[in-house]
């Protein structure tokens, strides 16, 4: 099944490969990012950061800095303390320092801020500030953090240990029993390392407080502008910042990937500085600050077990995880889900019994737990289950594809209720895997592998058949700081039949200006080229929760369709009036109402729009517009099957990805070209942590990968050529049958790569390798296992 294309290219509704409207601006260098904005009298901020992972601050001496020409102010925790702004709440109900008054908790933590007339002066003044520290014993290893004699980090909260929370889901006893009765049990430790999103644009803001109006405008790199406005009003209401006086503008954003969901201390300091000084203050992170201090992702230490019958029917899953959260729980999750949606870990398989528990601990590392292209711990879940299925296949001596087919949730089981409580909306897992196998020539590859193995060559084939869970709400389960997770569209049709649509989401490169216009074109027949899309200004956009967790299509995209349908209903009334027939006598085709049986009697949507302002039916309100707040009845569950083929160089341990086939299913597709782009980008962001990315700390808590010299990112040179394909299984509850897709590939790819590498090395007794799979790691294994 393919997405049906119902509109001609002149209208460009769903299914058209429309070029992105926003790209003209980007390609001409006319994008408007926060750092492009310069306001009159603007001051610049730079930040003093801690060299220690754990230390007491004995003194801060800013005298030399303050004496420098152009330095306007130095702000410390003690200054903020006067206004009770030295701490701020995190999304998970923990507390985070804006600036410390007493102790620093990780290397590169903010210690003080300089405000100056020039960015360079600010940087020089940072060097001139003398901070005296008394180093304290750091807690770096999360397992060490739980030992009884480990230093307690959050004494400020009255804590007596470093344990943050315990979370569990599933039936512990039934799972236990299934394990006791199992023919086969496999167990594996899996570490999913700390990584960082590394968007092209770092974080930053301009805080512009206007003392005359008492109004604060913040230009900010945020994925969720409305939430920031409300949160600011809640934490700074006591200093006069009430919500109608706050305007958050998220201009063009150079990549978000989850890293621009949290509120970083730098934003709050810049806002405080602007309010205190009555001038605009700009703060833009540099690359090292972004890498060293911004929210991390992953860092899950997983112990996973599968129970199965000897013919390969999986009967139970058990997972125990230790989550390293850094010094505060600043994860970006919906409030009720401390471990995000990790409980999607039964994956694409019909597993009757499952039990999962996660414990979170404090360490002397930066906080975070953001959803690096993953809707809240789904990558961790997928990696665990997709690795475990291969571990089991290896133990049973069974082909991993065969084992998957035997355990897939079957197409007729949807809506499928998982053992851990989710209701999967739709899926056809066997079809996606079969398609991927056909595309790559699976059976032939296995034959080739056997021959080459006989010659001692290392070739591996890895599969990942993942299920994603994206599109939060529904609001009965999902909220952020108590704000329900719906999303919105406000649609206004102008007299000449053109439109403006505003949304509560915020594109960071995804192409919303194009795809939302296509949705409205699909529903109203107004050409997508005539629909202007706006997001990211809280003074004009309807309230929404923002863009992350691949939620824009499932929520705001649905809202666009619903708002357009409301407009169409009013348009129908106007059409009936204009054609002097009753509404029931009208037929709709995109852009035109026709009289049934008299097809030459018709009015176009443009004529109707004009009439709405010039000749509307007596008794009807003028105008043609609608607002819709869409609260999805369920999440959407996109899925896919990826197959990766690798060749390993025995001499160097270098893994070469020979082929990678990705079959994705996100239901109906709005713009196939954008979806392909999303998959290509997503695969590359799955390849990156699988092969290169990792934030590494030494035992003192010093970051060893604090620059791109050590924190490796793939360039076009290392990135394999992706082969993509699609199946289409519509979501039954989404008005367009669409599911989110932005994160699928990042979630699904790493396991396919690791499974391929392990497959290549399995004849030598290798059952698992933790990511990133560096040449050195492989080289060491080759030597340890006596392969070379
Ligand atoms: N079916 C379908 C689906 C979808 N689509 C398309 O595609 C895109 C995407 O979507 P989605 O899935 O809904 O999502 P969104 O919400 O919009 O977005 C978000 C995502 O997105 C992705 N992608 C991207 N891209 C770019 N360029 N940039 C960026 O930044 C980014 N990021 C990433 C991430 S990470 Mo998170 O935040 O971690 O949570 S989440 C995420 C858009 O445009 C849309 O419209 C279509 O067409 N169809
Ligand atoms: Cu950032």
């Amino acid at each position: 099944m393919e997405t049906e294309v119902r509109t001609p290219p002149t209208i460009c509704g769903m299914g058209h490969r429309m070029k992105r409207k926003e790209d003209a601006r980007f390609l001409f260098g006319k994008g408007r990012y926060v750092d492009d904005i310069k306001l009159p009298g603007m001051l610049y901020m730079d930040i003093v950061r801690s060299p220690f992972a754990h230390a007491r601050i004995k003194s801060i001496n800013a005298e030399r800095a303050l004496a420098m020409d152009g330095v306007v102010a130095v702000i410390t925790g003690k200054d903020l303390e006067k206004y009770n702004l030295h701490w701020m709440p995190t999304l998970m109900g923990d507390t985070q320092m804006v600036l410390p008054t007493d102790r620093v908790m990780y290397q590169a933590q903010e210690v003080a801020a300089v405000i100056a007339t020039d960015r360079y002066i600010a940087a020089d003044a940072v060097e001139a500030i003398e901070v005296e520290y008394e180093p304290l014993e750091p807690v770096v290893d999360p397992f060490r953090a739980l030992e009884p004699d480990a230093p307690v980090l959050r004494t400020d909260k009255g804590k007596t240990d470093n344990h943050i929370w315990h979370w569990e889901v599933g039936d512990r006893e039934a799972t236990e029993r299934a394990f006791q009765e199992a023919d086969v049990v496999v167990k594996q430790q899996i570490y999913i390392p700390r990584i960082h999103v590394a968007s092209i644009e770092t974080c930053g803001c301009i805080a512009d407080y206007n003392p005359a109006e008492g109004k604060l405008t913040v230009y900010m790199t945020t994925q969720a502008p409305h939430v920031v406005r409300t949160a600011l009003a809640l934490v700074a209401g006591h200093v006069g910042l009430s919500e109608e006086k706050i305007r958050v503008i998220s201009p063009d954003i150079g990549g978000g990937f989850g890293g621009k969901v949290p509120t970083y201390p730098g934003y709050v300091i810049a806002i405080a500085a602007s309010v205190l000084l009555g001038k605009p203050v700009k703060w833009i992170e540099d690359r090292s600050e972004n890498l060293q201090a911004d929210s991390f992702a992953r860092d899950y230490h997983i112990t996973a077990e599968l129970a199965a019958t000897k013919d390969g029917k999986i009967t139970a899953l058990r997972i125990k995880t230790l989550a390293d959260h850094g010094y505060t729980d600043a994860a970006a999750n919906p409030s009720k889900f401390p471990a995000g949606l990790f409980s999607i870990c039964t994956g694409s398989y019909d597993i009757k019994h499952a039990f999962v528990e996660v414990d979170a601990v404090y360490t002397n590392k930066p906080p975070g737990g953001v959803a690096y292209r993953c809707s809240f711990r789904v990558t961790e879940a997928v990696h665990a289950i997709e690795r475990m299925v291969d571990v089991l296949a290896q133990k049973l001596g069974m082909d991993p594809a065969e084992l998957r087919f035997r355990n897939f949730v079957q197409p007729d089981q949807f809506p499928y209720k998982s053992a851990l409580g989710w209701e999967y909306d739709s899926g056809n897992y066997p079809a996606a895997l079969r398609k991927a196998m056909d595309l790559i020539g699976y059976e032939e590859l296995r034959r080739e592998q056997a021959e080459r193995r006989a010659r001692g060559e290392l070739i591996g084939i890895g599969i990942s058949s993942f299920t994603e869970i994206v599109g939060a709400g529904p609001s009965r389960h999902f909220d952020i700081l108590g704000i329900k997770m719906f999303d919105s569209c406000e649609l206004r049709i102008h007299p000449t039949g053109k439109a403006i649509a505003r949304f509560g989401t915020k594109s960071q490169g995804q192409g919303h200006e194009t795809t939302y216009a296509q949705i409205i074109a699909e529903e109203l027949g107004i050409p997508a080229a005539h629909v202007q899309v706006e997001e990211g200004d809280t003074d004009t956009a309807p309230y929404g929760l923002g863009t992350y967790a691949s939620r824009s299509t499932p929520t705001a995209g649905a809202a666009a369709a619903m708002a357009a349908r409301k407009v169409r209903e009013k348009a129908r009334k106007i059409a009936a009036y204009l054609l002097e027939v009753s509404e029931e006598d009208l037929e709709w085709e995109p852009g035109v109402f026709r009289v049934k049986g008299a097809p030459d009697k018709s009015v176009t949507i443009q004529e109707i729009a004009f009439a709405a302002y010039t000749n509307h039916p007596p008794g009807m309100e003028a105008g043609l517009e609608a607002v819709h707040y869409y609260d999805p009845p369920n999440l959407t569950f996109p899925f896919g099957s990826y197959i990766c083929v690798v060749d390993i160089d025995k001499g160097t341990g270098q893994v070469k990805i020979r082929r990678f086939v990705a079959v994705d299913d996100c239901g109906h597709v709005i713009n196939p070209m954008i979806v392909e782009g999303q998959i290509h980008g997503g695969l590359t962001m799955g390849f990156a942590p699988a092969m290169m990315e990792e934030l590494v700390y030494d035992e003192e808590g010093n970051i060893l990968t604090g620059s791109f010299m050590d924190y490796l990112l793939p360039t076009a040179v290392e990135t394999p050529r992706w082969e993509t394909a699609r199946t289409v299984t519509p979501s039954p509850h989404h008005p367009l049958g669409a599911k989110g897709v932005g994160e699928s590939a990042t979630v699904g790819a790493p396991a396919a790569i690791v499974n391929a590498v392990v497959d290549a090395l399995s004849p030598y007794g290798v059952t698992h390798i933790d990511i990133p799979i560096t040449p050195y790691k492989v080289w060491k294994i080759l030597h340890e296992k006596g392969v070379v």
Side-chain angles (χ1 to χ4, degrees):
M1 182 178 188
E2 260 299 338
T3 299
E4 186 196 349
V5 180
R6 278 177 293 220
T7 53
T10 44
I11 292 178
C12 232
M14 278 182 63
H16 284 281
R17 306 176 70 87
M18 184 184 182
K19 283 195 179 161
R20 305 200 328 168
K21 293 172 138 212
E22 42 272 84
D23 284 350
R25 157 168 111 247
F26 298 144
L27 294 173
F28 281 103
K30 297 291 180 199
R32 187 170 177 257
Y33 299 88
V34 172
D35 203 24
D36 293 322
I37 300 167
K38 295 187 176 62
L39 302 177
M42 191 165 76
L43 301 173
Y44 296 82
M45 182 171 105
D46 196 9
I47 293 176
V48 179
R49 292 181 181 271
S50 169
F52 295 103
H54 195 195
R56 191 169 302 289
I57 297 175
K58 291 172 74 182
S59 66
I60 301 177
N61 182 351
E63 253 171 61
R64 276 207 305 132
L66 283 167
M68 289 167 69
D69 245 4
V71 172
V72 178
V74 171
I75 299 174
T76 64
K78 296 264 189 256
D79 300 318
L80 295 180
E81 190 175 16
K82 292 179 210 145
Y83 306 94
N84 198 26
L85 288 175
H86 55 315
W87 286 87
M88 63 180 184
T90 71
L91 291 178
M92 295 316 287
D94 206 331
T95 52
Q96 178 171 6
M97 290 178 229
V98 178
L99 284 173
T101 51
D102 169 36
R103 270 192 300 161
V104 284
M105 296 295 234
Y106 63 91
Q107 190 181 54
Q109 186 184 335
E110 300 81 359
V111 173
V114 177
I115 316 292
T117 51
D118 176 282
R119 178 69 182 81
Y120 295 92
I121 296 175
D124 287 345
V126 159
E127 300 292 312
I129 292 179
E130 292 146 26
V131 186
E132 211 187 323
Y133 298 95
E134 175 198 326
L136 301 169
E137 185 188 340
V139 181
V140 183
D141 179 63
F143 293 94
R144 163 77 184 134
L146 289 177
E147 285 169 11
D149 66 332
V152 177
L153 299 185
R154 296 303 302 272
T155 45
D156 61 286
K157 295 177 74 178
K159 298 263 317 167
T160 51
D161 60 28
N162 296 313
H163 185 258
I164 315 177
W165 45 255
H166 172 85
W167 175 83
E168 59 179 57
V169 58
D171 189 332
R172 187 195 288 262
E173 283 76 40
T175 305
E176 185 84 12
R177 249 177 284 125
F179 269 91
Q180 278 157 10
E181 291 161 10
D183 300 338
V184 188
V185 170
V186 284
K187 183 171 183 170
Q188 184 61 54
Q189 317 269 359
I190 301 171
Y191 176 51
I192 304 183
R194 209 169 242 255
I195 53 175
H196 175 79
V197 300
S199 304
I200 291 180
E201 180 199 32
T202 61
C203 296
C205 70
I206 302 169
D208 181 17
Y209 182 70
N210 178 331
E213 295 173 350
K215 179 149 185 175
L216 173 73
T217 304
V218 193
Y219 303 85
M220 181 171 172
T221 51
T222 176
Q223 299 178 228
H226 279 102
V227 180
V228 171
R229 185 187 73 189
T230 303
L232 260 176
L234 291 174
V235 298
H238 66 285
V239 294
L241 290 177
S242 73
E243 199 165 1
E244 84 287 9
K245 299 275 190 200
I246 304 172
R247 178 181 189 185
V248 178
I249 299 175
S250 213
D252 285 329
I253 302 285
F257 306 110
K260 287 171 181 160
V261 171
T263 299
Y264 293 111
Y267 298 133
V268 182
I269 308 168
I271 290 167
S274 179
V275 172
L276 289 173
L277 300 168
K279 294 228 169 111
V281 174
K282 180 186 267 189
W283 168 66
I284 305 285
E285 279 176 337
D286 67 25
R287 182 53 67 191
S288 319
E289 293 179 292
N290 180 263
L291 183 54
Q292 295 171 15
D294 274 12
S295 290
F296 72 93
R298 322 283 195 250
D299 216 345
Y300 260 30
H301 298 260
I302 296 172
T303 305
E305 293 168 278
L306 279 182
T309 64
K310 51 182 177 310
D311 52 356
K313 177 76 193 116
I314 302 170
T315 52
L317 165 72
R318 187 162 53 194
I319 291 184
K320 192 170 167 55
T321 290
L322 187 64
D324 182 344
H325 273 257
Y327 94 89
T328 178
D329 182 2
N333 292 323
S335 308
K336 296 193 189 85
F337 297 85
L341 309 186
F342 188 61
S343 53
I344 192 69
C345 56
T346 54
S348 307
Y349 311 100
D350 186 16
I351 303 177
K352 289 282 176 289
H353 304 290
F355 179 71
V356 174
E357 53 189 326
V358 183
D359 288 275
V361 292
Y362 291 127
T363 60
N364 288 112
K365 290 185 206 138
V370 297
Y372 174 135
R373 212 159 188 175
C374 149
S375 88
F376 319 123
R377 307 292 187 185
V378 179
T379 312
E380 289 89 326
V382 164
H383 201 71
I385 185 68
E386 286 307 304
R387 246 331 358 261
M388 289 313 289
V389 169
D390 266 44
V391 171
L392 178 63
Q394 199 174 342
K395 170 105 176 197
L396 292 169
M398 194 182 275
D399 183 286
E402 178 54 30
L403 184 59
R404 283 177 171 82
F405 282 120
R406 251 179 233 194
N407 288 284
F408 277 148
V409 175
Q410 292 303 310
D412 61 4
Q413 285 178 280
F414 292 92
Y416 171 78
K417 187 98 189 201
S418 82
L420 297 177
W422 300 108
E423 189 181 292
Y424 296 17
D425 58 347
S426 65
N428 188 345
Y429 305 146
L433 179 52
R434 193 60 253 175
K435 186 161 187 174
M437 289 168 74
D438 291 346
L439 284 169
I440 208 151
Y442 187 79
E443 283 78 10
E444 179 51 38
L445 273 171
R446 284 288 178 207
R447 271 193 293 277
E448 180 194 332
Q449 183 184 41
E451 281 166 30
R452 294 227 183 165
R453 267 189 184 161
R455 296 202 296 267
E457 290 175 33
L458 301 175
I459 151 173
I461 305 160
I463 301 174
S464 164
S465 292
F466 64 94
T467 290
E468 256 261 79
I469 170 170
V470 302
S475 70
R476 65 182 184 282
H477 300 311
F478 293 90
D479 70 85
I480 284 185
L481 295 170
I483 309 164
K484 300 282 194 186
M485 295 185 79
F486 51 80
D487 230 290
S488 60
C489 169
E490 182 194 277
L491 173 62
R492 196 170 290 169
I493 318 295
H494 307 316
T496 56
K498 314 293 190 287
I500 179 161
R502 295 191 167 112
F503 294 84
T505 48
K506 174 61 210 170
S507 179
Q508 310 119 38
Q510 292 85 346
H512 292 174
E513 287 167 51
T514 308
T515 49
Y516 287 155
Q518 287 184 267
I519 292 173
I520 290 162
E522 175 79 11
E523 295 291 333
L524 287 178
I526 295 176
H530 295 168
V531 182
Q532 182 195 345
V533 169
E534 274 185 23
E535 299 177 292
D537 182 341
T538 59
D539 264 12
T540 55
Y543 205 96
L545 277 278
T547 290
Y548 40 84
S550 304
R551 65 186 297 279
S552 303
T553 305
T555 60
M562 301 307 276
R565 287 173 195 181
K566 285 180 186 169
V567 164
R568 197 164 74 205
E569 280 323 294
K570 183 167 180 183
R572 176 187 292 275
K573 291 192 168 55
I574 299 173
Y577 172 73
L578 295 176
L579 294 167
E580 298 177 322
V581 294
S582 78
E583 285 178 52
E584 296 73 55
D585 293 332
L586 293 174
E587 257 170 0
W588 169 256
E589 77 185 55
V592 192
F593 276 110
R594 286 186 204 287
V595 177
K596 285 182 196 158
D600 49 327
K601 278 192 76 183
S602 65
V603 281
T604 64
I605 187 75
Q606 287 78 7
E607 289 163 335
I608 296 168
F610 200 67
Y613 297 88
T614 57
N615 178 26
H616 54 290
M620 180 189 273
E621 269 181 61
L624 195 55
E625 58 184 69
V627 184
H628 195 91
Y629 284 81
Y630 188 79
D631 186 357
N634 189 5
L635 296 126
T636 66
F637 295 75
F639 60 93
S641 267
Y642 295 169
I643 307 184
C644 173
V645 185
V646 299
D647 296 295
I648 300 177
D649 183 316
K650 279 187 173 176
T652 61
Q654 177 94 32
V655 173
K656 178 126 184 52
I657 295 183
R658 188 204 300 182
R659 284 187 72 192
F660 195 109
V661 165
V663 175
D664 271 274
D665 193 320
C666 58
H668 284 312
V669 168
I670 300 151
N671 185 324
M673 186 170 63
I674 287 187
V675 167
E676 280 159 29
Q678 289 293 311
I679 302 291
H680 279 218
L683 288 171
T684 308
M685 284 182 94
F687 169 68
M691 306 291 280
M692 300 178 185
E693 294 184 348
E694 181 174 12
L695 291 170
V696 184
Y697 293 83
D698 72 9
E699 60 282 5
E700 297 297 313
N702 299 307
I703 183 163
L704 300 180
T705 50
S707 85
F708 285 166
M709 294 296 286
D710 310 292
Y711 188 85
L712 297 185
L713 299 178
T715 68
V717 175
E718 294 82 18
T719 303
R721 199 181 140 260
W722 309 115
E723 301 170 56
T724 60
R726 208 164 43 231
T727 56
V728 177
T729 313
S731 166
H733 62 76
H734 186 277
L736 303 165
K739 301 180 178 186
V741 76
E743 298 162 305
S744 293
T746 303
V747 167
I753 298 171
V754 181
N755 287 348
V757 176
V758 173
D759 182 53
L761 300 172
S762 61
Y764 306 95
V766 174
T767 54
H768 175 74
I769 306 176
D770 278 328
I771 57 172
I773 301 185
T774 57
Y776 178 60
K777 249 187 218 176
V778 176
W779 182 88
K780 250 178 51 188
I781 291 170
L782 293 174
H783 283 260
E784 278 163 17
K785 299 283 179 187
V787 184
V788 288

